[in-house]
Amino acid sequence: MTLYRGMDRVALDAAYNNGAAVKDSAQIVAGWEARSAKLRASHTESMDLRYGSDERNRIDYFPARRDGPVLVFIHGGYWQARAKEVFSFVAEGPLAWGFNVALVGYTLAPQKRLDGIVAEIHASLSWLQGAISMLGGDAQKLYVSGWSAGGHLTAMAMSHPAVKGGLAISGIYDLEPMRLSYINDKLRLDEAEAKRNSPGKTDKPLSIAYGADELPELCRQSEEYAQRLGSKAVGLPRHNHFTILEDLASPHGALTALVRKLAQ
């Protein structure tokens, strides 16, 4: 039975299974965890800042300079896995250029539906807007980035009044295939919620990037969403769904350059 773009359930599940597509993904993530733990250990005073009442409503803040812009990073995991602590390492690229970096945690599915997850991201941004003067940073220069599911949440965050622009990395912007695939076992999207949370246009600068070696559906999602925004997605050569984050963790990476451009 054809479910989506000529694919049956088996083909659709495979089309979005990034872990299976990148054979050494588990080792890559283990490396992220080790690097992130080292960076967190040097900033213990600003970890796990609470922005809401739920357990994962916490922010890790990495200061660079008091007058610098602030980049919020939202982790991926198909809205149902992983945690902010895994991704601290990506802060190193922006930190080198004077960006203060905040990594946001959020409640995972199935404990919370996607409507609630999006609301938590907006709540974290409202909290940061009020707390940046205390933490150090320029509240007038608040930008958002995220990877995979975090790329989707980045696009959904563009409607927050404090956000000036964003960088969505390897994101999902049309949620209909999520509703029809294995991902929905925990996400529990219905058709109305999928449509409601598929991001539309924004008048703020939003860069779309993906790895040229990613699964074709991931590439298509980025390309088509960028077209809807009237822009062109940036496909980074020789990068898959996981290695692309090295270009944010590096001070000289292409994604770090896109972040810097947002604040110019």
Side-chain angles (χ1 to χ4, degrees):
M1 178 182 175
T2 296
L3 291 178
Y4 183 79
R5 297 178 67 88
M7 290 179 279
D8 62 12
R9 175 63 185 262
V10 172
L12 183 58
D13 284 356
Y16 283 93
N17 193 332
N18 294 298
V22 181
K23 300 304 181 184
D24 59 346
S25 60
Q27 290 84 356
I28 292 173
V29 174
W32 293 352
E33 291 173 341
R35 293 157 65 188
S36 294
K38 184 177 180 181
L39 185 62
R40 286 171 57 81
S42 65
H43 293 84
T44 55
E45 70 285 351
S46 54
M47 299 295 98
D48 285 322
L49 307 174
R50 182 168 287 284
Y51 71 83
S53 58
D54 287 341
E55 175 58 29
R56 280 176 168 252
N57 291 170
R58 301 170 187 268
I59 291 171
D60 294 340
Y61 194 83
F62 298 90
R65 67 171 198 256
R66 293 201 63 83
D67 61 342
V70 178
L71 178 69
V72 178
F73 185 84
I74 309 170
H75 74 80
Y78 276 144
W79 309 272
Q80 59 195 263
R82 308 205 192 281
K84 61 178 174 60
E85 290 82 1
V86 177
F87 295 88
S88 304
F89 78 100
V90 303
E92 294 180 344
L95 283 171
W97 295 97
F99 280 81
N100 306 286
V101 181
L103 279 89
V104 174
Y106 55 90
T107 305
L108 303 178
Q111 186 175 348
K112 189 155 285 190
R113 296 186 69 100
L114 190 53
D115 284 335
I117 293 172
V118 171
E120 285 188 349
I121 297 302
H122 278 249
S124 74
L125 294 168
S126 294
W127 185 89
L128 272 170
Q129 185 181 22
I132 284 174
S133 59
M134 175 189 68
L135 295 170
D138 188 344
Q140 300 304 310
K141 293 181 179 180
L142 182 63
Y143 305 94
V144 180
S145 183
W147 166 79
S148 198
H152 162 266
L153 294 170
T154 294
M156 295 298 289
M158 290 300 101
S159 61
H160 192 284
V163 173
K164 302 302 189 234
L167 167 63
I169 306 164
S170 302
I172 302 294
Y173 311 103
D174 172 13
L175 296 183
E176 183 64 4
M178 305 295 98
R179 187 177 71 84
L180 299 171
S181 71
Y182 77 99
I183 295 160
N184 211 35
D185 294 348
K186 290 184 177 179
L187 202 56
R188 299 174 298 155
L189 285 172
D190 57 33
E191 187 173 1
E193 191 176 19
K195 288 182 178 179
R196 191 162 60 243
N197 289 288
S198 292
K201 292 185 176 182
T202 176
D203 58 0
K204 298 174 182 178
L206 175 59
S207 296
I208 308 297
Y210 65 95
D213 292 341
E214 296 203 50
L215 286 165
E217 272 293 289
L218 271 292
C219 299
R220 181 191 66 80
Q221 286 261 1
S222 289
E223 291 282 1
E224 290 189 358
Y225 185 55
Q227 289 173 10
R228 293 204 302 275
L229 296 178
S231 62
K232 184 174 177 56
V234 178
L236 298 187
R238 298 179 299 281
H239 276 308
N240 60 44
H241 191 68
F242 294 87
T243 61
I244 189 171
L245 285 181
E246 296 300 333
D247 265 52
L248 184 58
S250 168
H252 304 293
L255 297 181
T256 301
L258 290 174
V259 168
R260 293 175 60 204
K261 186 176 180 180
L262 284 172
Q264 289 177 350

